[in-house]
Short mmCIF file of all heavy atoms in Angstrom, two decimals:
data_model
loop_
_atom_site.label_atom_id
_atom_site.label_comp_id
_atom_site.label_asym_id
_atom_site.label_seq_id
_atom_site.Cartn_x
_atom_site.Cartn_y
_atom_site.Cartn_z
N SER A 109 10.44 3.69 0.92
CA SER A 109 10.54 4.95 1.65
C SER A 109 9.22 5.73 1.62
O SER A 109 9.06 6.70 2.33
CB SER A 109 11.71 5.80 1.11
OG SER A 109 11.42 6.22 -0.20
N PHE A 110 8.24 5.29 0.81
CA PHE A 110 6.93 5.95 0.78
C PHE A 110 5.85 5.12 1.47
O PHE A 110 4.70 5.51 1.50
CB PHE A 110 6.50 6.22 -0.68
CG PHE A 110 7.19 7.42 -1.28
CD1 PHE A 110 8.51 7.37 -1.69
CD2 PHE A 110 6.51 8.64 -1.41
CE1 PHE A 110 9.15 8.48 -2.24
CE2 PHE A 110 7.13 9.76 -1.95
CZ PHE A 110 8.46 9.68 -2.35
N LEU A 111 6.23 3.95 1.98
CA LEU A 111 5.26 3.03 2.58
C LEU A 111 5.73 2.60 3.96
O LEU A 111 6.93 2.48 4.18
CB LEU A 111 5.17 1.75 1.74
CG LEU A 111 4.18 1.61 0.60
CD1 LEU A 111 4.33 0.23 0.00
CD2 LEU A 111 2.75 1.83 1.07
N ALA A 112 4.78 2.27 4.84
CA ALA A 112 5.18 1.79 6.16
C ALA A 112 5.73 0.36 6.08
O ALA A 112 6.67 0.00 6.77
CB ALA A 112 3.99 1.85 7.10
N SER A 113 5.14 -0.47 5.19
CA SER A 113 5.59 -1.87 5.10
C SER A 113 6.38 -2.08 3.81
O SER A 113 6.08 -1.45 2.79
CB SER A 113 4.38 -2.81 5.12
OG SER A 113 3.47 -2.41 4.13
N PRO A 114 7.41 -2.94 3.84
CA PRO A 114 8.22 -3.13 2.65
C PRO A 114 7.46 -3.85 1.54
O PRO A 114 6.65 -4.75 1.81
CB PRO A 114 9.40 -3.99 3.12
CG PRO A 114 8.95 -4.62 4.37
CD PRO A 114 7.85 -3.79 4.96
N PRO A 115 7.71 -3.49 0.27
CA PRO A 115 7.11 -4.22 -0.84
C PRO A 115 7.87 -5.54 -1.05
O PRO A 115 8.91 -5.76 -0.44
CB PRO A 115 7.34 -3.29 -2.02
CG PRO A 115 8.58 -2.53 -1.67
CD PRO A 115 8.62 -2.43 -0.18
N SER A 116 7.36 -6.38 -1.93
CA SER A 116 8.15 -7.56 -2.32
C SER A 116 8.35 -7.53 -3.82
O SER A 116 7.63 -6.82 -4.54
CB SER A 116 7.46 -8.85 -1.88
OG SER A 116 6.24 -8.99 -2.55
N ILE A 117 9.35 -8.29 -4.30
CA ILE A 117 9.59 -8.38 -5.74
C ILE A 117 9.17 -9.76 -6.18
O ILE A 117 9.57 -10.77 -5.59
CB ILE A 117 11.09 -8.16 -6.09
CG1 ILE A 117 11.58 -6.80 -5.57
CG2 ILE A 117 11.29 -8.24 -7.61
CD1 ILE A 117 13.06 -6.52 -5.85
N LYS A 118 8.35 -9.79 -7.22
CA LYS A 118 7.99 -11.09 -7.84
C LYS A 118 8.86 -11.19 -9.08
O LYS A 118 8.82 -10.29 -9.93
CB LYS A 118 6.50 -11.10 -8.20
CG LYS A 118 6.04 -12.46 -8.69
CD LYS A 118 4.53 -12.60 -8.55
CE LYS A 118 3.78 -11.92 -9.65
NZ LYS A 118 3.99 -12.49 -11.00
N TRP A 119 9.68 -12.27 -9.17
CA TRP A 119 10.63 -12.40 -10.28
C TRP A 119 9.91 -12.22 -11.62
O TRP A 119 8.82 -12.76 -11.78
CB TRP A 119 11.30 -13.78 -10.23
CG TRP A 119 12.34 -13.96 -11.29
CD1 TRP A 119 13.66 -13.63 -11.19
CD2 TRP A 119 12.13 -14.48 -12.60
NE1 TRP A 119 14.29 -13.91 -12.38
CE2 TRP A 119 13.39 -14.43 -13.26
CE3 TRP A 119 11.03 -14.96 -13.30
CZ2 TRP A 119 13.56 -14.87 -14.57
CZ3 TRP A 119 11.19 -15.38 -14.61
CH2 TRP A 119 12.45 -15.33 -15.22
N PRO A 120 10.51 -11.45 -12.57
CA PRO A 120 11.80 -10.81 -12.36
C PRO A 120 11.70 -9.40 -11.80
O PRO A 120 12.62 -8.95 -11.13
CB PRO A 120 12.37 -10.76 -13.79
CG PRO A 120 11.16 -10.66 -14.68
CD PRO A 120 10.06 -11.40 -13.99
N ASN A 121 10.55 -8.72 -12.01
CA ASN A 121 10.60 -7.29 -11.68
C ASN A 121 9.26 -6.67 -11.38
O ASN A 121 9.07 -5.48 -11.57
CB ASN A 121 11.26 -6.51 -12.83
CG ASN A 121 10.72 -6.95 -14.17
OD1 ASN A 121 9.66 -7.55 -14.23
ND2 ASN A 121 11.42 -6.66 -15.24
N ASP A 122 8.31 -7.48 -10.91
CA ASP A 122 7.04 -6.89 -10.48
C ASP A 122 7.17 -6.48 -9.02
O ASP A 122 7.63 -7.28 -8.19
CB ASP A 122 5.90 -7.92 -10.55
CG ASP A 122 5.51 -8.24 -11.99
OD1 ASP A 122 5.99 -7.55 -12.90
OD2 ASP A 122 4.73 -9.21 -12.17
N ILE A 123 6.73 -5.26 -8.72
CA ILE A 123 6.78 -4.83 -7.32
C ILE A 123 5.37 -5.01 -6.75
O ILE A 123 4.40 -4.45 -7.25
CB ILE A 123 7.23 -3.36 -7.18
CG1 ILE A 123 8.54 -3.12 -7.95
CG2 ILE A 123 7.37 -3.00 -5.71
CD1 ILE A 123 9.75 -3.82 -7.43
N MET A 124 5.30 -5.83 -5.71
CA MET A 124 4.01 -6.25 -5.15
C MET A 124 3.86 -5.74 -3.71
O MET A 124 4.84 -5.68 -2.95
CB MET A 124 3.92 -7.79 -5.11
CG MET A 124 4.38 -8.51 -6.36
SD MET A 124 3.24 -8.34 -7.73
CE MET A 124 1.83 -9.25 -7.13
N VAL A 125 2.62 -5.42 -3.34
CA VAL A 125 2.31 -5.13 -1.94
C VAL A 125 1.01 -5.85 -1.62
O VAL A 125 0.03 -5.71 -2.35
CB VAL A 125 2.16 -3.61 -1.68
CG1 VAL A 125 1.82 -3.35 -0.22
CG2 VAL A 125 3.42 -2.85 -2.06
N HIS A 126 1.03 -6.62 -0.53
CA HIS A 126 -0.13 -7.43 -0.12
C HIS A 126 -0.67 -8.24 -1.31
O HIS A 126 -1.89 -8.30 -1.56
CB HIS A 126 -1.25 -6.55 0.44
CG HIS A 126 -0.81 -5.66 1.57
ND1 HIS A 126 0.07 -6.07 2.54
CD2 HIS A 126 -1.11 -4.36 1.86
CE1 HIS A 126 0.29 -5.08 3.38
NE2 HIS A 126 -0.40 -4.03 2.99
N GLY A 127 0.23 -8.81 -2.10
CA GLY A 127 -0.18 -9.70 -3.19
C GLY A 127 -0.69 -8.99 -4.44
O GLY A 127 -1.11 -9.64 -5.40
N LYS A 128 -0.66 -7.64 -4.47
CA LYS A 128 -1.13 -6.92 -5.66
C LYS A 128 0.00 -6.12 -6.28
O LYS A 128 0.89 -5.63 -5.58
CB LYS A 128 -2.29 -5.99 -5.30
CG LYS A 128 -3.52 -6.74 -4.86
CD LYS A 128 -4.70 -5.81 -4.72
CE LYS A 128 -5.97 -6.63 -4.48
NZ LYS A 128 -7.16 -5.78 -4.51
N LYS A 129 -0.08 -5.97 -7.60
CA LYS A 129 1.04 -5.32 -8.32
C LYS A 129 0.91 -3.79 -8.23
O LYS A 129 -0.11 -3.21 -8.58
CB LYS A 129 1.02 -5.77 -9.77
CG LYS A 129 2.17 -5.22 -10.59
CD LYS A 129 2.37 -6.08 -11.83
CE LYS A 129 3.25 -5.42 -12.86
NZ LYS A 129 3.56 -6.29 -13.98
N LEU A 130 2.02 -3.18 -7.77
CA LEU A 130 2.06 -1.72 -7.63
C LEU A 130 2.87 -1.09 -8.76
O LEU A 130 2.61 0.05 -9.17
CB LEU A 130 2.72 -1.39 -6.28
CG LEU A 130 2.94 0.06 -5.91
CD1 LEU A 130 1.60 0.77 -5.73
CD2 LEU A 130 3.75 0.16 -4.63
N ALA A 131 3.87 -1.81 -9.26
CA ALA A 131 4.78 -1.22 -10.25
C ALA A 131 5.40 -2.32 -11.10
O ALA A 131 5.49 -3.48 -10.67
CB ALA A 131 5.89 -0.44 -9.54
N GLY A 132 5.83 -1.95 -12.31
CA GLY A 132 6.47 -2.92 -13.20
C GLY A 132 7.62 -2.27 -13.96
O GLY A 132 7.70 -1.04 -14.07
#
Side-chain angles (χ1 to χ4, degrees):
S109 67
F110 281 76
L111 270 181
S113 53
S116 64
I117 303 179
K118 187 159 80 65
W119 183 89
N121 46 18
D122 289 350
I123 308 294
M124 315 287 293
V125 179
H126 305 322
K128 293 189 172 187
K129 183 160 166 174
L130 177 66

